[in-house]
């Protein structure tokens, strides 16, 4: 499969200031060494329609050649409990939990394991490749397996247990099928085996939702939910196990515990607390999904914070990944003379090349009045996107012919994880997106989308505002309004779709103090997300209504912050109320152009079209035009200000765009100028009460037309006109009257 050299890498952070350091981890396939240099990215490699791709090489004192090594990808979520001889000792023992398997796929799936590598000691509860429950007893020669003959039901709760009595040398393996919400039994299977030799002692390491392979690395990752896993220092009888199965997870029991893990507590943390008092706390690896329905969920509340005992499960997946766990290969201390912007570690060897992008922020003492907000939350949502390719082929009615070697690598290396648009293999939604892994679609080449179009915007900004600063979504989330100190103009990326509440609150404050916003994209400010409160590069998204996999009812509140997720318009904040326009539709065939409207002649907006003689705007570019991919329109009912001017609108979009519209979406508010196509992007301008203003283009494709003809075109000129006036400190004035209808 890997018949060509490959380099992959990722960084430990996305945003860094001069004088700070950033680390990189690298894996090489079929390469003994690699070179690394650092480049500034001011455009993308998208073919002859674009200016030549010539990243600026930065001078650094670090060595640029490094030994190559392959570092394995370790996907799959689980809980790890290290170092307890009490868990390793051989004695009376019961291991039990409530479990809901969601995918077997012909592979063993471990539930709880105290096994040492190779199964030479310890015990485990595991689902075999046919879905049947098995008890594994460790042995120095070969582990012994005792299996029930009836598979567990998928997407149904069961109580599972093994009990071993070394004095009687008796083993019990039990399954009770539970009725959700009641814990009544709906059936049982059990196996009693006499004269069983005691298992050898383990090594003190316990894994939940995985077991160690011969090298000690986790394998046989479980797909599904686990609730209240326990290890008891007693061998319970069949009657006692039946009694335990009927108890709710939070009910007290009288038997002595070695470990009793509460999976409901501290949902935003990686820590899983042991409630037994023995101190066997665990750590979640690779971000399994927390704050999900437990076996006793009764639909009385949809908010896990109100009834944490009903949300006491964790959903594990074999394809979860936060980061591959690679060792650091190199580190850069950012020179103090680097201007703010987008940079990358360029990794090269033989015919292989890979970019690891990062952003250098400006030092506070030299802050610019223009800031570009890099939409890193959107990048995290779209990491290694697979779903989009299928969507494109659906719209085009044919197989896509623009797969790059990195696109193919995403198929060859599924362990790198996919996007929040790609469901898990068990059909459930992915809820946590991570940038702490190799990102195959955040390269300066390939399909022109998101990051690549944002590089076009940065290339344009470097020409017209070389002193601009760059910050990321996560910077804005963590620092709030202070992240934009000294900033008068905020420029968005091409697709700022995912926003946290702290980000929106910061933007509210920015506009309230007279800031000016240039929304140079489409489908922005749409979905509510949360950033992880401690770890960098992690966002959580829970879609309440989606075709991208299933979520259980009552699982729409994030585990990171507990907030209700979904579209911001369903949470009372339509994007029209912020930037005047909001998402209408999308398609991925040829883009179109804008036509100027009478509003462009209004004295309030005349500055936007200075030097523009054409009526058609953006009828050029690599994508065919400046209007397309995903497009936005005004809608007074959703909050577009009454005084907003619609100064241009796109037209002549292909039928693929209409294919994604509902009947209601076809008829958004049409006012303050001549009727326009129902499928369109609205270019909009309006002033704010504090002397600021908002300019919105309502199209992801806008930035892709900026570099056309060496940036000498009407898209670039309009954008430069807006930036020039927005940098002018002269306050904007709200109109005395509303535009005529």
């Amino acid at each position: 499969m890997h018949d060509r050299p490959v380099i992959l890498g990722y960084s430990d952070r996305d945003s860094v200031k001069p004088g700070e350091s950033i680390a990189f981890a690298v894996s090489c396939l079929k390469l003994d060494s690699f070179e690394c240099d650092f480049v500034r990215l001011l455009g993308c490699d998208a073919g002859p329609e674009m200016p030549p791709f010539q990243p600026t090489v930065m001078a650094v004192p670090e060595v640029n050649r490094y030994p190559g090594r392959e570092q394995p990808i370790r996907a799959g979520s689980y809980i790890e409990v290290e170092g307890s001889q009490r868990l390793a000792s051989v004695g009376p023992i019961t291991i039990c939990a409530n479990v809901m398997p969601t995918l077997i796929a012909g592979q063993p799936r471990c539930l709880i394991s105290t096994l040492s590598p190779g199964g030479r000691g310890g015990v485990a509860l595991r689902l075999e490749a046919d879905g049947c429950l098995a008890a594994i007893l460790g042995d120095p020669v070969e582990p012994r397996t005792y299996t029930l003959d009836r598979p567990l039901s998928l997407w149904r709760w069961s109580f599972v247990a093994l009990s071993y009595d070394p004095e009687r040398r008796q083993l019990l393996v039990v399954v009770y099928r539970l009725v959700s919400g009641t814990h009544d039994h709906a059936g049982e299977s059990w196996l009693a085996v006499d004269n069983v030799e005691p298992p050898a002692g383990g090594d003190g390491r316990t894994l939940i939702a995985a077991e160690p392979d011969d090298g000690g690395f986790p394998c046989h990752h479980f797909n599904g939910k686990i609730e209240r896993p326990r290890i008891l220092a007693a061998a319970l009888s069949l009657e006692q196990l039946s009694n335990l199965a009927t108890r709710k997870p939070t009910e007290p029991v009288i038997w002595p515990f070695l470990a009793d893990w509460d999976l409901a507590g501290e949902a935003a943390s990686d820590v899983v607390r042991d409630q037994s008092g023995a101190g066997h706390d665990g750590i979640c690896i690779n971000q399994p999904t927390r704050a999900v329905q437990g076996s006793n969920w009764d639909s009385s509340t949809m908010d896990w914070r109100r009834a944490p005992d009903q949300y006491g499960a964790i959903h594990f997946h074999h394809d979860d990944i936060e980061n591959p766990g690679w060792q650091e290969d190199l580190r850069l201390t950012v020179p103090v003379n680097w201007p703010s912007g987008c940079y990358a570690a360029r990794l090269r060897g033989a015919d292989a090349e890979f970019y690891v992008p990062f952003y250098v922020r400006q030092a506070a003492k030299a802050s610019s009045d223009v800031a570009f907000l890099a939409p890193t939350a959107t990048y995290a949502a779209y990491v290694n996107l697979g779903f989009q390719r299928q969507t494109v082929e659906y719209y085009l009615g044919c197989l896509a012919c623009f797969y790059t070697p990195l696109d193919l690598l995403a198929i060859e290396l599924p362990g790198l994880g996919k996007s929040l648009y790609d469901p898990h293999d068990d059909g459930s939604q992915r809820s946590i997106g991570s940038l702490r892994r190799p990102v195959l679609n955040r390269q300066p080449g390939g399909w022109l989308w998101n990051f690549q179009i944002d590089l076009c915007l940065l290339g344009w900004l470097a020409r017209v505002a070389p002193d601009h600063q760059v910050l990321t979504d996560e910077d804005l989330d963590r620092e709030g309004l202070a992240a934009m100190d000294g900033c008068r103009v905020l420029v968005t990326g091409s697709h700022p779709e995912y926003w946290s509440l702290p980000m929106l609150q910061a933007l509210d404050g920015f506009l309230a103090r007279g800031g000016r916003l240039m929304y140079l994209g489409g489908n922005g400010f749409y979905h509510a997300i949360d950033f992880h409160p401690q770890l960098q590069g992690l966002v959580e998204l829970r879609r309440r209504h989606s075709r991208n996999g299933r979520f259980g009812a009552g699982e729409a509140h994030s585990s990171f912050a507990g907030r209700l997720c979904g579209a911001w318009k369903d949470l009372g904040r339509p994007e029209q109320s912020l930037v005047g326009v909001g998402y209408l539709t999308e398609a991925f065939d040829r883009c179109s152009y804008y036509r100027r409207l009478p509003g462009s002649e209004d004295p309030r907006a005349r500055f936007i079209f200075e030097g523009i003689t054409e009526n058609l705007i953006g009828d050029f570019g690599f994508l065919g035009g400046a209007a397309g991919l995903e497009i936005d329109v005004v809608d007074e009912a959703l909050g577009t200000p009454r005084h907003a001017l619609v100064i241009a609108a796109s037209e002549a979009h292909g039928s693929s765009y209409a294919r994604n519209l509902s009947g209601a979406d076809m008829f958004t508010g049409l006012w303050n100028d001549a009727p326009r196509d129902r499928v369109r992007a609205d270019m909009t301008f309006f002033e704010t009460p504090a002397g600021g203003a908002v300019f919105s283009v309502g199209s992801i494709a806008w930035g892709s037309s900026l570099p056309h003809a060496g940036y000498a075109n009407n898209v670039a000129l309009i954008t430069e006109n807006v930036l020039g006036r927005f940098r002018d400190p002269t306050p904007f004035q709200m109109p005395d009257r509303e535009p005529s209808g």
Side-chain angles (χ1 to χ4, degrees):
M1 182 176 290
H2 307 298
D3 57 353
R4 62 187 186 279
V6 172
I7 300 179
L8 298 171
Y10 62 95
S11 62
D12 65 347
R13 57 196 300 188
D14 297 297
S15 176
V16 61
K17 292 181 179 179
E20 296 177 345
S21 67
I22 179 172
F24 301 88
V26 181
S27 179
C28 296
L29 286 70
K30 298 186 179 296
L31 288 170
D32 295 328
S33 65
F34 67 94
E35 294 181 354
C36 175
D37 58 5
F38 293 92
V39 296
R40 187 179 182 189
L41 300 177
L42 294 172
C44 64
D45 187 9
E49 291 282 340
M50 294 288 185
F53 176 62
Q54 296 173 336
T56 303
V57 180
M58 311 302 293
V60 294
E62 281 77 6
V63 176
N64 68 357
R65 178 166 285 279
Y66 301 85
R69 58 178 173 176
E70 181 176 353
Q71 301 206 61
I73 302 165
R74 303 207 182 278
S77 58
Y78 59 97
I79 296 171
E80 184 169 46
V81 183
E82 287 284 5
S84 171
Q85 288 308 306
R86 292 190 64 194
L87 294 179
S89 62
V90 177
I93 190 172
T94 297
I95 295 180
C96 59
N98 298 327
V99 301
M100 175 191 282
T102 56
L103 178 71
I104 301 297
Q107 297 289 327
R109 306 293 180 184
C110 192
L111 303 172
I112 306 173
S113 165
T114 69
L115 295 172
S116 55
R120 291 181 287 273
V123 297
L125 267 177
R126 184 171 73 197
L127 300 184
E128 297 294 71
D130 58 2
C132 294
L133 182 68
I136 315 297
L137 304 186
D139 188 275
V141 178
E142 184 176 358
R144 286 162 282 140
T145 302
Y146 303 88
T147 307
L148 299 182
D149 59 3
R150 181 179 174 186
L152 270 67
S153 299
L154 297 181
W155 296 97
R156 296 290 185 268
W157 281 105
S158 296
F159 172 87
V160 297
L162 73 78
S163 171
Y164 180 70
D165 185 339
E167 290 188 6
R168 300 174 58 192
R169 296 174 61 186
Q170 184 179 64
L171 173 70
L172 287 175
V173 188
V174 176
V175 173
Y176 291 104
R177 289 160 183 83
L178 304 178
V179 177
S180 294
T182 67
H183 269 244
D184 292 335
H185 294 179
E188 62 182 44
S189 300
W190 57 278
L191 172 70
V193 185
D194 296 321
N195 298 317
V196 176
E197 291 294 327
D203 60 3
R205 182 190 186 204
T206 298
L207 299 180
I208 300 172
E211 65 182 275
D213 64 12
D214 289 346
F217 296 106
C219 67
H220 295 162
H221 294 278
F222 178 64
N223 291 288
K225 297 180 180 182
I226 297 179
E227 176 185 55
R228 206 73 191 212
R230 291 163 162 167
I231 302 179
L232 287 72
L236 300 192
S237 66
L238 192 62
E239 181 180 358
Q240 290 170 322
L241 289 172
S242 176
N243 178 274
L244 184 58
T246 61
R247 295 173 180 261
K248 292 184 177 180
T250 55
E251 287 186 45
V253 296
I254 60 174
W255 301 289
F257 285 106
L258 291 174
D260 178 14
W261 291 285
D262 174 16
L263 306 191
E266 303 180 45
S269 170
D270 291 335
V271 178
V272 172
R273 299 295 180 189
D274 173 17
Q275 302 298 314
S276 72
H280 295 142
D281 294 345
I283 299 293
C284 291
I285 307 297
N286 273 332
Q287 293 295 315
T289 308
R290 305 194 67 173
V292 296
Q293 291 175 11
S295 62
N296 63 328
W297 184 76
D298 63 8
S299 74
S300 60
T301 180
M302 301 293 164
D303 186 345
W304 61 265
R305 297 169 300 175
R306 295 182 178 274
D309 60 307
Q310 295 188 30
Y311 292 85
I314 291 181
H315 197 153
F316 300 89
H317 303 89
H318 77 270
D319 53 352
D320 280 329
I321 185 167
E322 176 194 340
N323 68 73
W326 295 348
Q327 295 181 7
E328 176 184 322
D329 286 272
L330 60 125
R331 180 176 290 268
L332 168 72
T333 299
V334 177
V336 296
N337 63 339
W338 282 19
S340 183
C342 181
Y343 295 80
R346 181 169 59 179
L347 312 173
R348 293 186 292 183
D351 295 326
E353 182 176 71
F354 193 80
Y355 289 78
V356 183
F358 60 95
Y359 296 91
V360 173
R361 296 181 64 184
Q362 212 167 42
K365 63 182 179 181
S367 59
S368 169
D369 66 343
V370 177
F372 177 81
L373 182 63
T376 50
T378 297
Y379 301 157
Y382 281 86
V383 167
N384 301 337
L385 184 68
F387 168 81
Q388 194 86 13
R389 296 294 181 184
Q390 302 168 19
T391 303
V392 171
E393 291 172 351
Y394 167 76
Y395 283 126
L396 296 178
C398 63
L399 293 176
C401 59
F402 43 80
Y403 284 84
T404 69
L406 287 176
D407 294 326
L408 298 176
L409 196 61
I411 300 172
E412 297 174 10
L413 298 174
L416 290 175
K418 296 180 181 178
S419 75
L420 299 186
Y421 289 80
D422 298 290
H424 285 290
D425 288 350
D426 69 356
S428 62
Q429 284 190 37
R430 294 178 193 267
S431 63
I432 298 175
S434 172
L435 291 173
R436 301 283 73 81
R437 50 179 165 147
V439 182
L440 304 178
N441 58 347
R442 195 157 65 128
Q443 303 293 303
W447 187 36
L448 205 58
W449 172 257
N450 283 2
F451 179 70
Q452 292 77 13
I453 298 180
D454 292 344
L455 292 182
C456 297
L457 290 167
L458 285 168
W460 168 80
L461 262 179
R463 291 168 173 261
V464 299
D467 62 333
H468 71 274
Q469 60 175 307
V470 173
L471 64 149
T472 69
D473 284 348
E474 193 161 8
D475 294 328
L476 188 61
D477 178 87
R478 297 193 188 281
E479 299 174 22
L481 185 57
M484 297 183 285
D485 283 349
C487 174
R488 178 175 291 116
V489 185
L490 183 67
V491 181
T492 76
S494 62
H495 193 189
E497 180 177 3
Y498 294 92
W499 281 68
S500 68
L501 181 59
M503 290 172 63
L504 286 176
Q505 291 171 333
L507 187 56
D508 288 342
F510 174 75
L511 294 174
R513 73 183 186 191
R516 290 88 188 268
L517 177 63
M518 296 178 67
Y519 170 35
L520 302 185
N523 188 209
F525 314 95
Y526 191 84
H527 273 297
I529 55 96
D530 283 306
F531 283 93
H532 194 284
Q534 289 92 32
L535 302 176
Q536 293 194 347
L538 292 178
V539 301
E540 183 175 20
L541 166 72
R542 299 201 177 190
R543 305 176 195 269
R544 285 185 281 163
H545 310 289
S546 176
R547 64 183 182 274
N548 304 115
R550 61 187 286 181
F551 252 134
E555 295 181 3
H557 288 259
S558 76
S559 64
F560 287 178
R563 279 189 281 266
L564 183 63
C565 295
W568 275 114
K569 68 178 180 181
D570 296 331
L571 299 172
R573 297 198 59 143
E575 56 269 37
Q576 285 91 343
S577 66
L578 181 67
V579 293
V581 295
Y583 171 73
L584 176 69
T585 186
E586 65 189 46
F588 302 96
D589 55 7
R590 189 170 180 82
C591 296
S592 192
Y593 57 86
Y594 296 80
R595 184 181 296 277
R596 289 179 61 172
L597 297 172
S600 67
E601 301 296 335
D602 190 293
R604 293 162 49 205
R606 201 165 289 162
F607 72 93
I608 298 173
F609 292 93
E610 289 182 8
I612 303 294
T613 59
E614 307 95 330
N615 282 325
L616 300 186
I617 307 299
D619 54 339
F620 48 78
F622 182 80
L623 296 174
L629 297 181
E630 299 188 25
I631 52 179
D632 302 346
V633 296
V634 297
D635 193 331
E636 181 184 352
L638 291 176
T640 303
R642 288 285 298 169
H643 68 286
L645 291 171
V646 183
I647 53 181
S650 65
E651 60 188 28
H653 288 282
S655 60
S656 295
Y657 286 85
R659 196 181 303 183
N660 200 44
L661 284 174
S662 69
D665 290 331
M666 294 290 286
F667 299 94
T668 55
L670 304 176
W671 43 267
N672 88 22
D673 55 32
R676 306 182 293 284
D677 284 0
R678 288 177 284 189
V679 177
R680 67 188 190 279
D682 287 333
M683 188 186 301
T684 311
F685 165 77
F686 61 91
E687 304 89 347
T688 62
V694 176
F695 171 74
S696 300
V697 300
S699 163
I700 288 179
W702 179 266
S704 70
S705 291
L706 284 171
H708 180 75
Y711 296 90
N713 60 75
N714 55 28
V715 169
L717 182 54
I718 285 173
T719 317
E720 184 175 357
N721 287 343
V722 173
L723 179 63
R725 175 60 184 93
F726 277 24
R727 296 188 80 171
D728 182 346
T730 304
F732 285 90
Q733 299 296 321
M734 294 272 287
D736 294 330
R737 60 182 178 83
E738 297 173 349
S740 58

